[in-house]
Amino acid sequence: MPPLGEIITERSGVLNLGVEGIMIVGALTGFVVSFTTGNPWLAFFAAGAAGCLMAAVHGVVVLLFLGNQVVSGLAITIFGLGLANYFGTPFVGQAAPGFDPFALPVLGNIPALGEIFFRHDVLVYISYLLPLAIWLFLYVTRIGLNLRATGEAPVAARAAGIGVVAYRWLGIIMGGFCMGCGGAYLSLAYTHLWTNNLTGGRGWIAVALVIFSFWRPQRAVFGAYLFGGIMAVQLRLQASGTTIPSSLLLMLPYTLTIAVLVFSSWRRGSTGEPAALGTTIEPRQ
Amino acid sequence: MANYGYTAIVVAWLARLNPFYIAVASFLLAGLRVGVESLQLDMQVPAAFGWIIEGLVLLSVLAGGLLHYVSGHPALMDIAILIPLLAATVQSGTPILYATSG
């Protein structure tokens, strides 16, 4: 989910390197709300809202005060990690009700495939549908078209009468929602426990994944399963006690991303990077 | 409290990417880190408090850049350097004061 959020944000021309911070704030919010109310769904949407808030801070700095997008994202990461570790300290080691795995009625009984794809918690099922929804949003709806135009050529988009700043806000907020929900998945479905630094660098993997997938939601899905597979293999290898250092495998998502970038620049093809990514829109432009 | 790399970014931007101000900014942030660690020892305030402040300092510096940008006026640019430094002094000084007095 976080890579999809980052794709929406970057497609509107705003770079948000605060994924790590936004995810962990979402994770903590989700955990605390679930811990106090016992309602995982409420917790899930609270996490999304918290993600929106954190992303809105980025939006204020970047769109209102025209700050540097790279550094603002890093500031959001520092800020978010601090917030989550500060307010999360009393909850370390506590467990909260979350989403439990269940098998889908018919699909779960398919041999092999059912075991892999259809015996998870409800958030995983949502994650099957979300990329499709986001692809439809970006490529089929008029709002998505305007959003992409804002990311590619804000000056031309403004001349065409598109409220570019509003679309960038939309990209930031929608992205923040996805990132916050992604963080909540970690605390509510993946662990059910709170530990400090729960995200453990997954936010950075999300950023790498966006580049790896060339800013396309459909490719991000395959990339996510590839990177997830690498993480799983790394855990298995560690458990089986091989001599391969686990750090080498932990590096793999990033080395793969670099390799893909080098490869695409060799072929001189376009990576699909939004042309106006990281630029500020000046009011008098 | 590791993550010195992030602090380096805060220092560089607090110094407005000017090598001379780096000494001042890094001294202030070193004070913040040491102060926050004493706070954790003395008052059981999680040291992550320091990250919150660092993040807020960096966000304020970035937002303060607008002043720099809107005016382009030399005097205002000096103020644009001084304001974040002043803000950082206040923000990092508070935990140090707490730590020394408490």
Side-chain angles (χ1 to χ4, degrees), chain B residues 3 13 16 31 40 72 77 80 86 93:
Chain B
N3 287 342
W13 276 81
R16 297 235 152 228
Q40 186 172 29
M77 267 152 76
L86 251 169

Side-chain angles (χ1 to χ4, degrees), chain A residues 166-202:
Chain A
Y167 275 101
R168 287 199 161 183
W169 269 112
L170 180 74
I172 287 180
I173 298 295
M174 281 182 71
F177 186 83
C178 292
M179 294 170 201
C181 290
Y185 173 79
L186 288 177
S187 60
L188 294 177
Y190 191 68
T191 59
H192 292 242
L193 290 170
W194 176 256
T195 51
N196 276 344
N197 293 325
L198 181 73
T199 47
R202 286 187 184 80

Side-chain angles (χ1 to χ4, degrees), chain A residues 190 200 202 205 226-236 249-250 253:
Chain A
Y190 191 68
R202 286 187 184 80
I205 292 192
L226 181 65
F227 286 11
I230 292 170
M231 302 289 264
V233 165
Q234 174 259 332
L235 282 178
R236 288 279 166 83
L249 284 161
L250 285 177

Side-chain angles (χ1 to χ4, degrees), chain A residues 20 57-58 61 64-68 71-72 74-79 81-83 85-87 89 197 204 282-284, chain B residues 3 6-7 9-10 13 45-56 58-60 62-67 69-70:
Chain A
E20 178 86 2
V57 175
H58 181 63
V61 171
L64 199 61
F65 289 100
L66 310 179
N68 182 309
V71 187
S72 173
L74 291 169
I76 293 288
T77 295
I78 302 171
F79 183 53
L81 285 174
L83 274 184
N85 288 340
Y86 181 76
F87 290 106
T89 302
N197 293 325
W204 295 114
E282 299 173 8
R284 287 165 292 183
Chain B
N3 287 342
Y6 288 137
T7 308
I9 298 164
V10 184
W13 276 81
V45 179
F49 186 61
W51 297 6
I52 302 183
I53 292 179
E54 270 184 36
L56 283 178
L58 189 48
L59 286 170
S60 336
L62 288 169
L66 185 70
L67 200 63
Y69 169 82
V70 166

Side-chain angles (χ1 to χ4, degrees), chain A residues 50-142:
Chain A
C52 289
L53 268 180
M54 287 293 289
V57 175
H58 181 63
V60 166
V61 171
V62 160
L63 295 180
L64 199 61
F65 289 100
L66 310 179
N68 182 309
Q69 297 184 359
V70 176
V71 187
S72 173
L74 291 169
I76 293 288
T77 295
I78 302 171
F79 183 53
L81 285 174
L83 274 184
N85 288 340
Y86 181 76
F87 290 106
T89 302
F91 296 99
V92 169
Q94 305 266 31
F99 298 98
D100 291 312
F102 66 92
L104 283 185
V106 182
L107 296 168
N109 296 328
I110 305 171
L113 281 181
E115 181 77 34
I116 299 169
F117 291 111
F118 300 111
R119 291 193 186 169
H120 295 286
D121 47 82
V122 65
L123 295 186
V124 174
Y125 300 134
I126 293 177
S127 81
Y128 294 155
L129 298 175
L130 196 66
L132 185 69
I134 291 190
W135 183 84
L136 284 174
F137 168 71
L138 280 176
Y139 291 95
V140 176
T141 66
R142 175 163 291 274

Side-chain angles (χ1 to χ4, degrees), chain B residues 19 25 35 44 56 66 80-81 90:
Chain B
Q44 283 77 48
L56 283 178
L66 185 70
I81 293 168
V90 173

